Amino acid sequence: MGKIMMTATERRNEAAGRVRAAEDAVARLRVGLAGVGVKLPSLRVDLASCARNEPMPLVDLGRCSVETVLRLSALLEAKSAHDC
């Protein structure tokens, strides 16, 4: 069976849905990290990944201090040890 052709409006709506899903994921991660005292100041949806005809949004975790990396690593290690 062949592909069904989408209208331009349907393609735009689908693309917008992908971007919204990425924005929601970023917001969810930001809240989750804040809940354990971690802030990634550059956390965002990568705009360049949304600029294609068919956006495939990527999340840019961004740059952060070594202190933040160590705090995040400690949290992940503690979670991993707890799960064993």
Side-chain angles (χ1 to χ4, degrees), residues 46-72:
D46 176 56
L47 296 178
S49 67
C50 298
R52 301 171 36 178
N53 285 338
E54 293 187 31
M56 297 301 274
L58 298 173
V59 174
D60 186 352
L61 298 177
R63 298 167 29 161
C64 60
S65 68
V66 172
E67 177 184 304
T68 300
V69 171
L70 293 174
R71 188 177 319 123
L72 184 55

